[in-house]
Amino acid sequence: CGGIGRIKSRTTVCYEIQREIRRVAEFSAEKEILVRAHPSVASMLQTKSKDIIIELEKMFNKRVLINADPTLHPERFDVVAV
């Protein structure tokens, strides 16, 4: 929780990741966006948020790759152009 006394929900983290995908995709010439997230968040991105991820791929003409990383805290993630 980072010492603030609250833990973000998986849904909130997914929204943050979607915003970061938009930001990275908009300013990158690369054709792929790599997302590293905790397995529970990655799973949610691949299921409940799947339609939004597909929409982002079409909007920016980029492929979004989602990798589950169990070493990451559920609130932490990386979004990079590759």
Side-chain angles (χ1 to χ4, degrees), residues 7-23 33 35-54 56 64 66-67 73-79:
I7 297 178
K8 294 177 186 175
S9 71
R10 288 182 303 159
T11 302
T12 298
V13 176
C14 285
Y15 288 142
E16 290 177 353
I17 290 171
Q18 291 165 24
R19 282 192 297 272
E20 186 67 7
I21 290 171
R22 287 176 187 270
R23 188 188 69 75
I33 306 294
V35 176
R36 277 189 335 119
H38 185 272
S40 65
V41 175
S43 175
M44 190 169 193
L45 286 169
Q46 294 169 328
T47 56
K48 293 183 180 179
S49 297
K50 182 179 179 179
D51 291 340
I52 295 168
I53 298 299
I54 291 170
L56 290 171
V64 177
I66 300 169
N67 286 348
H73 185 278
E75 294 181 14
R76 303 283 181 226
F77 58 87
D78 293 315
V79 177

